Amino acid sequence: MMLIKIGGGEEIDLEAVITDLAAQEQPFLLVHGANVLRDRLAERLGMEKTVLTSLSGYSSVFSDEDAIDVIMMSYAGLRNKRIVELCQRQGINAVGLTGLDGRLVQGERNKGIRVRENGKTLIKRDLSGKPRAVNTALLSLLLEQGYCPVLTIPIADERGFAINSENDDIVAQIASQLPLETVLQLIEAPGFLDDPEDETSLVANMSLAELQQREARVEGRIKRKLLALTRLCQGGKTRVIIADGRVDKPITGALAGAGTHIA
Amino acid sequence: MMLIKIGGGEEIDLEAVITDLAAQEQPFLLVHGANVLRDRLAERLGMEKTVLTSLSGYSSVFSDEDAIDVIMMSYAGLRNKRIVELCQRQGINAVGLTGLDGRLVQGERNKGIRVRENGKTLIKRDLSGKPRAVNTALLSLLLEQGYCPVLTIPIADERGFAINSENDDIVAQIASQLPLETVLQLIEAPGFLDDPEDETSLVANMSLAELQQREARVEGRIKRKLLALTRLCQGGKTRVIIADGRVDKPITGALAGAGTHIA
């Protein structure tokens, strides 16, 4: 089984991705983002995101009720259903779902961010959290009947409330509970770049050891991404490919060797 | 089995509806609207609806790509996922789906509206249509496993494209293909009113014959609504209740006799 994670950038060629997907052998499932769409919608609605800086100097988006509304409209609504539509047009019997639906992805709400405001230390708790369990029974039921699950945020917290979560963590959680041979991540770059500014610096193959060495050397958002990749590989049980989602036949190309292959 | 149709008005008390639903015996499925939310979102985004008047004098909303985007954001996104969230909070294992997902509701695209523009007769074809088939296998699969399907638009056309459709027609199509004992419609009125302007003019009981007589006497949108109700009753096989969605315990109340009972 293959899981394909489609990035939320605007340069991803969704039509090319889904057309190519229709030529692959089943079963597969999709997880997708929609961050550019979300930011643009939030701006048009005047509901721009709040970024908090914690006492430890870490910045993060504060997910309030408005932010969840915008996630529901952009991720669960527009992006999810347009992907499902593209699938249906190509003969893939897609079913779009969020982590809320059938408690497909059950999370644990974050405890809060410690911030300093007007000389006081406050704990601000938002609607975000980490995925802790996947309803594999529902996913398997759909896959066995020939459906292609198309997953996105929000996920459910312990009490069933909608919360925001990181797609990387959701993919890692699914990979730990379903027998995935391959996880293919389609992004807006040719793959993992040695120099993020230089598209010709593609790292074509990376061993798990090299991935761990790189993770130890970097800081910030990229460190989190590399850590998620390490977890995803599960000590080599799952092949991970990072490839370009902006090209023609992106899946066929990646399976034939394009992009970065980690194993 | 019971189908509950939740109107898309803003006075419907969703929290009261779902809390009461959690006290009912399974299985049930929901179909919901979101017209007020849709109109408000479209206005905020400057994507207001286009209304065309046909040669025969009939007005209808023209569903273009923008209109489908707004339906995906409001019906399939915000409203559907907030209802699923309310269900999950109350212990109902809801799964939100549009007609696109698993081709749950397959429609036939409308042929177009004949309009007069600049002295010429044109046929304008939009993204709307009539539901013709329901994926009862998927609905039954979910219901048998204890899930509560929560359905909304868009639906799929013959080629898998997303199209707009009338909820009344979707409910009638589902009723014709699943063994529904009861269809409960929750609206922003005490039930069917003899005089639409007078909330005290509730018609508590209506026979199928009376429904048909009323349908023959009226014109416009209400005629279409009554015709849909006639089809829904299926000659008495399905009990139809129209009740107030703005009150506490709206479902328990309706099943105990409140609203308009048609049989």
Side-chain angles (χ1 to χ4, degrees):
Chain A
M1 185 150 41
M2 175 162 60
L3 182 150
I4 295 155
K5 181 185 163 220
I6 305 175
E10 63 184 330
E11 286 173 45
I12 302 284
D13 188 344
L14 282 182
E15 199 133 359
V17 172
I18 306 302
T19 303
D20 195 22
L21 191 63
Q24 310 302 317
E25 282 210 19
Q26 305 256 12
F28 40 73
L29 66 162
L30 307 182
V31 174
H32 70 84
N35 54 299
V36 172
L37 193 64
R38 186 252 315 265
D39 292 349
R40 199 170 294 156
L41 179 64
E43 195 186 333
R44 286 176 74 180
L45 294 172
M47 293 157 85
E48 274 159 90
K49 58 189 173 194
T50 311
V51 177
L52 292 184
T53 304
S54 71
L55 281 181
S56 49
Y58 179 71
S59 294
S60 59
V61 175
F62 191 78
S63 298
D64 55 13
E65 282 290 336
D66 277 359
I68 300 294
D69 276 357
V70 175
I71 285 172
M72 286 178 171
M73 287 189 270
S74 53
Y75 284 76
L78 188 51
R79 186 78 159 192
N80 188 266
K81 296 314 167 197
R82 285 296 186 194
I83 290 176
V84 169
E85 180 189 34
L86 278 170
C87 286
Q88 291 292 348
R89 283 171 52 195
Q90 298 288 343
I92 300 165
N93 207 351
V95 175
L97 298 161
T98 69
L100 283 173
D101 299 294
R103 291 214 182 205
L104 205 62
V105 185
Q106 164 84 61
E108 182 187 348
R109 222 176 126 189
N110 290 333
K111 301 285 174 245
I113 308 166
R114 291 167 69 89
V115 295
R116 196 83 190 158
E117 264 185 22
N118 304 322
K120 281 179 188 162
T121 299
L122 302 171
I123 292 180
K124 294 222 170 185
R125 196 169 189 208
D126 74 347
L127 297 162
S128 69
K130 304 274 179 303
R132 296 293 184 219
V134 172
N135 183 345
T136 51
L138 178 54
L139 277 184
S140 301
L141 192 72
L142 291 171
L143 287 161
E144 279 160 19
Q145 299 293 319
Y147 296 103
C148 167
V150 179
L151 313 182
T152 196
I153 54 172
I155 67 169
D157 81 354
E158 301 89 332
R159 293 183 297 152
F161 282 90
I163 56 173
N164 189 7
S165 196
E166 292 283 345
N167 260 335
D168 281 332
D169 297 332
I170 294 169
V171 170
Q173 189 62 240
I174 295 170
S176 74
Q177 294 187 42
L178 279 187
L180 297 179
E181 283 160 39
T182 305
V183 171
L184 169 56
Q185 305 194 347
L186 294 173
I187 63 170
E188 293 177 298
F192 184 86
L193 304 176
D194 194 45
D195 171 6
E197 303 299 313
D198 178 9
E199 290 216 351
T200 66
S201 69
L202 176 72
V203 180
N205 288 286
M206 210 192 292
S207 67
L208 199 51
E210 186 183 345
L211 178 62
Q212 285 161 334
Q213 284 159 14
R214 283 182 182 269
E215 190 260 313
R217 282 204 306 267
V218 294
E219 284 302 324
R221 187 165 168 82
I222 183 72
K223 190 182 186 71
R224 227 173 37 69
K225 286 264 174 196
L226 291 176
L227 194 64
L229 280 175
T230 318
R231 283 205 308 267
L232 201 52
C233 292
Q234 306 182 77
K237 270 199 294 175
T238 305
R239 170 174 66 158
V240 178
I241 311 173
I242 306 171
D244 206 327
R246 305 167 301 178
V247 301
D248 201 37
K249 300 199 174 176
I251 301 166
T252 302
L255 294 176
T260 302
H261 289 240
I262 309 171
Chain B
M1 187 151 37
M2 175 162 62
L3 182 151
I4 296 153
K5 180 184 163 221
I6 306 175
E10 63 184 331
E11 286 173 46
I12 302 284
D13 187 344
L14 282 182
E15 197 133 0
V17 172
I18 305 302
T19 304
D20 196 21
L21 191 62
Q24 309 303 316
E25 283 211 17
Q26 305 255 10
F28 39 73
L29 65 163
L30 307 182
V31 174
H32 70 84
N35 54 298
V36 172
L37 193 64
R38 186 251 317 264
D39 291 350
R40 199 169 294 156
L41 179 64
E43 196 186 331
R44 286 177 73 180
L45 294 173
M47 292 156 86
E48 274 158 89
K49 59 188 172 195
T50 312
V51 176
L52 292 185
T53 304
S54 70
L55 281 180
S56 49
Y58 180 71
S59 294
S60 59
V61 175
F62 191 78
S63 298
D64 55 13
E65 282 289 338
D66 277 358
I68 300 296
D69 276 356
V70 175
I71 284 172
M72 286 177 172
M73 286 188 270
S74 54
Y75 284 76
L78 188 51
R79 186 78 159 193
N80 188 266
K81 298 315 166 196
R82 285 296 186 195
I83 291 176
V84 170
E85 180 189 33
L86 279 170
C87 286
Q88 290 293 348
R89 283 171 51 194
Q90 298 288 341
I92 300 165
N93 207 350
V95 175
L97 298 162
T98 69
L100 283 173
D101 300 293
R103 292 214 183 205
L104 205 62
V105 185
Q106 164 84 60
E108 183 187 349
R109 222 175 126 189
N110 289 333
K111 300 286 174 243
I113 308 165
R114 291 168 68 89
V115 295
R116 197 82 188 157
E117 264 185 23
N118 304 323
K120 282 180 188 159
T121 299
L122 303 170
I123 291 180
K124 295 221 170 187
R125 196 170 188 207
D126 74 347
L127 297 163
S128 70
K130 305 272 179 302
R132 297 292 184 219
V134 172
N135 183 346
T136 51
L138 178 55
L139 277 183
S140 302
L141 191 72
L142 291 170
L143 287 161
E144 280 160 17
Q145 299 293 320
Y147 297 102
C148 167
V150 179
L151 313 182
T152 195
I153 54 170
I155 67 169
D157 81 355
E158 300 90 332
R159 293 184 298 153
F161 283 89
I163 56 173
N164 189 7
S165 196
E166 292 283 343
N167 260 336
D168 280 333
D169 296 333
I170 293 169
V171 170
Q173 189 62 239
I174 295 170
S176 74
Q177 294 187 42
L178 279 187
L180 298 178
E181 282 160 41
T182 306
V183 172
L184 169 56
Q185 305 194 345
L186 295 173
I187 63 170
E188 294 177 298
F192 184 86
L193 303 176
D194 194 44
D195 170 6
E197 304 298 313
D198 178 8
E199 289 217 350
T200 67
S201 69
L202 175 72
V203 180
N205 288 287
M206 211 191 292
S207 67
L208 199 51
E210 187 183 344
L211 178 62
Q212 285 162 334
Q213 284 159 16
R214 283 181 182 270
E215 190 260 313
R217 282 205 306 268
V218 294
E219 285 300 326
R221 186 164 169 82
I222 183 72
K223 190 183 187 73
R224 227 173 37 71
K225 287 262 173 199
L226 291 176
L227 194 64
L229 280 175
T230 318
R231 283 206 308 267
L232 202 51
C233 292
Q234 305 182 80
K237 270 199 292 174
T238 305
R239 170 174 67 158
V240 178
I241 310 173
I242 306 171
D244 206 326
R246 305 166 301 177
V247 302
D248 201 38
K249 299 198 175 177
I251 300 166
T252 302
L255 294 176
T260 302
H261 289 238
I262 307 171

